[in-house]
Amino acid sequence: MPKRKKKEAEEIGFVTTLSVPSEGSAGLTGSWRVFIPVLDGERCNKCLLCWIYCPEACINKDIRINYDYCKGCGICAEECPRGAISMVKEEKKQ
Amino acid sequence: MKLKDFPEEELFLQGSAACQGCPGSAAIRVAFKALGRNTVLSVIASCTSVFQSPFPVSALELPTLNMAFATGGATASGLSAAADRLVARGVLEEKPTILVWAGDGGTYDIGIQALSGAAERNADFIYVCYNNEAYSNTGTQRSGATPYAAWTTNTTKGKEEWRKDVAQIMVAHGIPYVATASLAYPTDMFRKFARAKEIKGTRYIEIQAPCPPGWKFPSSHTIKVARLAVQSGMWMLYEHEDGKTTYTAGTQRIIQGQSKLVPVEEYLRAQGRFGHLFSPERDEKRIGEIQRRIDHVFETLQFTHKMKEHIMDIEMAPPR
């Protein structure tokens, strides 16, 4: 249960049927990933195409990828005009 | 507006329940950036409901109503009237933008009656249809927006009918603003949303949303397929205002002759749902039929464009 919902339950004594906006509403979606996007900072010219095309809002305006939530769809690597992002097979976490 | 001038604020929260490479969430991000925080949303049953409502959390930062299929126009009319009253009473300083976010099932088939009624009353809201050309949420069934010859679970040998054009139906309603947009042209989409925000009355925007599991292509190709759709003429970008249609971005470039129409085969080959047109043997008849329709539309548009330029030349020439 998200923090805001817990607070609501404590304050008014019951949980309403309203959903609260929260990051990671489907959990840590990074675990869905098979291929992981890796950015080559030298090739990147900050055209921001990956930022606007990312369906998950996982790339911020400074071109930092949030690997907690990145689902590894590969749109950023496909659309990068300079080939600065490559998809690498993810290694299993121990 | 350039990409670097887009607002940085994210009203769509990461870690949602959408599929990998989902066009719905990609479109909603651009829309939210253009409309800003003072927006009230009504989400009609569609794939957006999936990431909007996994109770007790939601991926959308804006106040949202989770509504049934047929209620798009009706809820928006109600929200708009309520917001008007609150502004008149002084509870709200500024009227929020009312946004309806519906899929093609909720627009083309089930919701068109409520939408048509609201458009006729010219209720004050923006209606967005993100069109993935099938009922993808329930496993890709045929809808009114499914194009000719496309595979769905109940048209296994390809749909036999042509799709209807709801954007043109909305133009026929005489509402103040109608536009179509594509995921591959985000600046064009942003500009259309920003323009729609300024206008009062019913506004309709339709976004083509290539759906990786429904159309059977890899999740990384969402934007590529959207771009091919525009370049091949299967999807046209335009806006209609004051009784005048202006073609924009990729479609405008083709009409003005700056770029050539890509053969429709490239678009069809990029998706598995048209796979039966190419294997076991090539279906020349159906591919040719699709190409002929596109060619006919663009020949007419290119001819009109040339005629207009010609008339302009005559008007601009100095009198003898």
Side-chain angles (χ1 to χ4, degrees):
Chain A
M1 195 183 277
K3 273 182 199 161
R4 272 163 76 177
K5 212 68 191 163
K6 260 186 192 163
K7 202 178 152 199
E8 181 189 279
E10 279 164 16
E11 276 176 6
I12 58 175
F14 58 91
V15 180
T16 60
T17 52
L18 295 175
S19 290
V20 286
S22 148
E23 256 182 27
S25 50
L28 290 175
T29 48
S31 61
W32 300 9
R33 196 169 54 214
V34 180
F35 291 92
I36 183 166
V38 179
L39 175 75
D40 178 358
E42 280 180 16
R43 279 201 194 170
C44 175
N45 64 347
K46 304 222 165 166
C47 67
L48 297 176
L49 279 176
C50 55
W51 169 68
I52 198 70
Y53 283 147
C54 177
E56 208 45 43
C58 278
I59 304 179
N60 70 5
K61 237 180 164 175
D62 302 323
I63 320 297
R64 280 218 195 87
I65 305 169
N66 186 343
Y67 291 114
D68 284 349
Y69 296 122
C70 168
K71 292 171 180 167
C73 68
I75 286 179
C76 48
E78 178 77 28
E79 292 304 320
C80 182
R82 291 168 73 101
I85 302 178
S86 46
M87 299 302 284
V88 183
K89 185 134 198 217
E90 192 156 34
E91 284 167 23
K92 267 189 184 168
K93 277 177 193 150
Q94 294 300 315
Chain B
M1 189 111 175
K2 284 180 180 164
L3 275 182
K4 64 174 195 277
D5 303 325
F6 278 31
E8 199 174 350
E9 191 186 27
E10 289 295 346
L11 296 168
F12 172 83
L13 300 170
Q14 49 192 348
S16 73
C19 301
Q20 289 168 316
C22 176
S25 55
I28 217 167
R29 279 188 66 214
V30 180
F32 284 3
K33 279 181 196 301
L35 297 175
R37 208 170 251 282
N38 195 17
T39 306
V40 178
L41 196 65
S42 165
V43 173
I44 307 309
S46 60
C47 284
T48 306
S49 306
V50 174
F51 57 83
Q52 177 268 120
S53 62
F55 182 79
V57 283
S58 164
L60 306 182
E61 187 70 84
L62 297 171
T64 307
L65 287 181
N66 186 22
M67 298 311 296
F69 256 126
T71 61
T75 48
S77 308
L79 280 173
S80 175
D84 275 337
R85 282 306 299 156
L86 289 175
V87 172
R89 278 196 217 159
V91 181
L92 292 177
E93 278 180 18
E94 196 187 340
K95 189 182 173 184
T97 313
I98 314 293
L99 177 70
V100 183
W101 195 268
D104 59 299
T107 308
Y108 278 66
D109 301 340
I110 310 172
I112 193 165
Q113 176 271 125
L115 171 62
S116 175
E120 191 269 327
R121 292 190 300 272
N122 201 18
D124 184 22
F125 65 88
I126 303 178
Y127 193 102
V128 177
C129 166
Y130 75 104
N131 178 1
N132 52 21
E133 303 184 346
Y135 288 84
S136 285
N137 190 13
T138 47
T140 328
Q141 284 83 18
R142 158 199 202 284
S143 85
T146 307
Y148 178 68
W151 168 94
T152 61
T153 48
N154 39 18
T155 55
T156 44
K157 287 179 179 168
K159 195 182 168 189
E160 286 170 8
E161 301 81 18
W162 297 84
R163 80 176 194 94
K164 62 178 172 185
D165 194 343
V166 168
Q168 285 302 316
I169 296 177
M170 294 318 287
V171 167
H173 277 74
I175 57 177
Y177 190 76
V178 178
T180 58
S182 167
L183 282 176
Y185 300 84
T187 42
D188 179 64
M189 200 202 295
F190 187 94
R191 193 184 53 76
K192 282 169 180 166
F193 271 100
R195 180 77 194 112
K197 194 187 172 188
E198 291 168 7
I199 301 170
K200 223 173 139 48
T202 307
R203 294 140 282 170
Y204 179 84
I205 297 178
E206 186 162 339
I207 306 164
Q208 196 201 26
C211 166
W215 297 16
K216 301 195 180 301
F217 59 82
S219 63
S220 58
H221 288 190
T222 304
I223 308 292
K224 191 181 144 192
V225 171
R227 188 179 297 119
L228 267 175
V230 174
Q231 287 173 345
S232 67
M234 281 291 272
W235 187 252
M236 307 231 292
L237 297 176
Y238 60 85
E239 52 186 342
H240 183 90
E241 206 183 335
D242 297 332
K244 197 181 156 204
T245 303
T246 323
Y247 291 88
T248 58
T251 310
Q252 188 190 36
R253 282 196 281 279
I254 296 169
I255 291 171
Q256 294 182 351
Q258 289 157 355
S259 60
K260 272 199 168 169
L261 210 56
V262 171
V264 78
E265 197 183 324
E266 256 180 66
Y267 172 70
L268 302 180
R269 267 191 194 280
Q271 304 161 53
R273 64 173 177 160
F274 291 110
H276 55 272
L277 295 182
F278 300 103
S279 75
E281 56 187 40
R282 219 179 119 90
D283 192 338
E284 289 292 351
K285 190 171 162 260
R286 281 198 279 184
I287 300 170
E289 222 167 317
I290 297 171
Q291 185 67 60
R292 255 200 309 285
R293 281 215 173 195
I294 295 172
D295 286 348
H296 176 72
V297 170
F298 274 87
E299 270 165 24
T300 320
L301 287 171
Q302 280 164 344
F303 179 75
T304 334
H305 175 73
K306 269 184 198 154
M307 282 304 284
K308 266 186 196 160
E309 270 193 343
H310 185 61
I311 292 166
M312 286 271 275
D313 282 348
I314 297 170
E315 279 178 357
M316 298 293 273
R320 283 186 207 171

